[in-house]
Amino acid sequence: MAETGRERARHWQYDELPGVDLLRARYIRKTFVRHTHEHFVIAAIADGVEVFHHGDGDQYAGAGSLALVNPDTPHTGRAGVPEGWRYGAVYPSPEVVGAIAAETTTLRGTPGFVTPVLDDPYTVRLVHRVLRATDEGNALAADTLLKVVVTRLLRRNGGNLPRREVRTAGARTAARARALLEERMAAPPTLQRLAAELGTSPFALLRAFRDAYGMPPHTWLTDARVRRARRLLDAGTAPSQAAVEVGFTDQPHLNRHFSRMIGVPPGAYQRERLNAGRNEPAGRNEQTGRNGTPGLRSGRKNVQDAPPGLVLPSGVWQQNRQWQ
């Protein structure tokens, strides 16, 4: 678990839930820059408030609600109250969600979430139970509860995602620019040179790229570099080497961007991957974790447990955000 002051976060995988990332965190000053995920985001807020820019405006997710983001959808994240927010999250791949949707819902096509915030304390508790089951090595419970969570959310807040089709000349230019940046990630051209190579102007390319992908080319490139760095770390590449291979100037540069998008530093991320590969149990005593490092306490009052009791619906935060 990565810990800074009162903030803490753990990002991991569980071998018995293939295609699913897991996160447990408490953030106070943490700010997530605009980024995307290849997987779905199902973030269950246990207490506090998270604010994230999604679509045309800010969304407020309070205790007892879920922040829901579809794959490849630009969004941010920050605290909505001084005490920050505490949450647990599961990140199922499109393949995992698609398989569950086909078996348990009437949705056809590419399933996704319709609205980015859903008040549902029951499902919030289910998400935290998924995380607890992985800590305890209870594969049957983890798999069952994950399927219940996804099915419930798709039935309450699901729909078919529109298929992205490249039709306009600007969209085709943006797609070509994206492919070139992907190919030359370690040594990308300037906007001027990229536009010249594509036979357009820099500002026309900038507009087309933002329209197609929700962010300018340089922001998209940083996002893509972090994604590729994750795959390299998963394969065992050292963070310092991964930084160079994806085009960051050095490891601190990778650390900064990785933490602002994934929520933990690349070293902590990779250690969890290695531990998962050895099937090492995650449930460690919070005060006296292995090697003296802070860990997680199994059993009652886990840091991931969603608290019972009254919660303030996120709709109230949406309506009264001027108070924040």
Side-chain angles (χ1 to χ4, degrees), residues 141-161:
D143 188 29
T144 302
L145 291 168
L146 177 70
K147 286 178 169 56
V148 172
V149 165
V150 174
T151 299
R152 179 177 171 88
L153 291 177
L154 288 176
R155 287 177 175 174
R156 295 198 64 198
N157 188 40
N160 291 321
L161 296 181

Side-chain angles (χ1 to χ4, degrees), residues 263-282:
V264 297
Y269 171 90
Q270 189 176 59
R271 283 192 296 274
E272 288 287 352
R273 289 296 192 266
L274 294 175
N275 288 340
R278 301 189 196 103
N279 292 317
E280 182 173 314

Side-chain angles (χ1 to χ4, degrees), residues 19 52 61 135 152 168 184 194 201 210 225 260 299 319:
F52 61 105
D135 280 341
R152 179 177 171 88
T168 67
R184 305 175 194 174
L194 183 61
S201 71
R210 291 179 69 107
R225 282 172 165 169
R260 294 170 70 189
Q319 297 167 9

Side-chain angles (χ1 to χ4, degrees), residues 165-178 195 198-201 204-213:
E165 296 184 6
V166 178
R167 295 179 177 175
T168 67
R172 288 192 294 270
T173 298
R176 291 171 58 201
R178 174 174 170 165
L198 295 173
T200 187
S201 71
L205 174 58
L206 182 60
R207 286 194 299 271
F209 204 97
R210 291 179 69 107
D211 289 344
Y213 303 113

Side-chain angles (χ1 to χ4, degrees), residues 42-113:
I42 302 175
I45 312 300
D47 51 48
V49 179
E50 180 187 12
V51 184
F52 61 105
H53 191 86
H54 180 286
D56 296 328
D58 284 343
Q59 303 293 327
Y60 289 69
S65 67
L66 300 113
L68 304 170
V69 182
N70 294 318
D72 298 315
T73 302
H75 61 285
T76 63
R78 69 181 192 276
V81 289
E83 60 269 27
W85 79 105
R86 181 170 63 90
Y87 70 112
V90 294
Y91 302 81
S93 70
E95 293 76 17
V96 169
V97 172
I100 295 173
E103 185 177 354
T104 64
T105 75
T106 59
L107 294 174
R108 296 297 178 261
T110 304
F113 301 126

